[in-house]
Amino acid sequence: MKPRNQLTAAEVEGLIIALEARLDTVGLPTQPEVAKQVIKLVSDPNSVVGAYARVIKTDASLAGRLLRLANSAHFAQRVPVTSLDRACILLGVERLKAVTLGFYLSRGAATDRDAKLSRHVWTQSVFRACLAASLARSIMPRVSSEAFIVGLLIDSGLPLMPKLATRYEQHADPFAAPAKLAAAESAHLAFTHVDVASALCRRWKLPAMLAKPIQWHHLPPRSREGEVAVNVLHRLAYFVGALELEPDSAMPATPAPMANLATRVLGLNQDSLALSVRSACDEYRATAQMFQDIADPLTDLDALASIVHHRLVGVVEETVVPSMGFADVDENTRFLLGGFLVEIARDDQGGVASVCDAKGECLMSYRFNVGDATPESIRDGLGLDAQTDDEVVAMKARLQRLAA
């Protein structure tokens, strides 16, 4: 198999398509602190959209999924949703409850080594996001929200590399400096963590304004003249993605790191850079404090999944079932699928599968040909994670009854 740096453009396109298909077999690991904060918010009837946004913005996979949902046909937005704040407002608290709980229920426990890498990437990505937003406020303030997302997602493919690339750590050290890691992957592997991030961007259907800077973040940007937003985001991604951060603090070792690069790529002098870095460090510490405030930290993801499942079932039993009038409906028409309440029915146009939120409102629907549908096609149509064996059996039985 040819190394990544010898592939043609056509071969790269085929590679991304193949990687996107393989994402069905893996999932980005989550951090217990983030899931605990979500449970805390769901348990508080006074939680507001802004509180959800502050937590969600620290989780790459959840942020990607929410942007995908906000940009779906169900919400019919004329302008692509590129801000997490806007996405959360669009979805509303009840949808956020259902989506976030369902997401964390679908996450699996990682191995010790995978968990170490995931945590390393998570902490550093949150800082890179804070710095990208801080720098954007000096260069092009109107894209600071988008800059945060780009900074958060540029390394989203890295935790998946040991699962997707055979003998990955024999060829590349995932804890190495960004430039060294990118060079090793490109020279010795068939694909890089940037390729995986590109596949994730397609899976999440991210707008080009977000996807392109993520895909380009190791490519030197062109001249700054006549720039548009996507080019500014590319410059920010290139700079924050090149920084080598301290392993313990996840922040730079100096007040104005890579000052020459900042001047050349961003047009910032050393003093302006230091000011942005200081602001980013303050924001990062405040974000870390948000998670430190959680009592009784939980690190067992299996136990965490049990707690999330309990809360999700509680939301369904307390609000979804009564509001939808399910008391008189056949139990086989609805079930949990990938952590969400799904109802499958038939009408004059064929079959329709619907994902419902905690108030019984339809989040999204997917129409299908009753005779050809499979559990996998329904799952993909709704954008949900892989089902458990029990869920597959239940859905197959329902589809067979619809086709009879």
Side-chain angles (χ1 to χ4, degrees), residues 63-95:
R65 285 176 172 272
L66 284 178
L67 286 168
R68 174 183 176 178
L69 178 56
N71 282 294
S72 68
H74 177 78
F75 292 98
Q77 295 297 291
R78 294 183 179 180
V79 178
V81 179
T82 57
S83 161
L84 274 178
D85 289 333
R86 182 182 165 201
C88 288
I89 292 172
L90 189 64
L91 268 61
V93 170
E94 296 304 326
R95 286 189 178 91

Side-chain angles (χ1 to χ4, degrees), residues 51-65:
Y52 279 91
R54 285 191 292 274
V55 174
I56 290 167
K57 71 190 296 187
T58 66
D59 190 295
S61 190
L62 182 53
R65 285 176 172 272

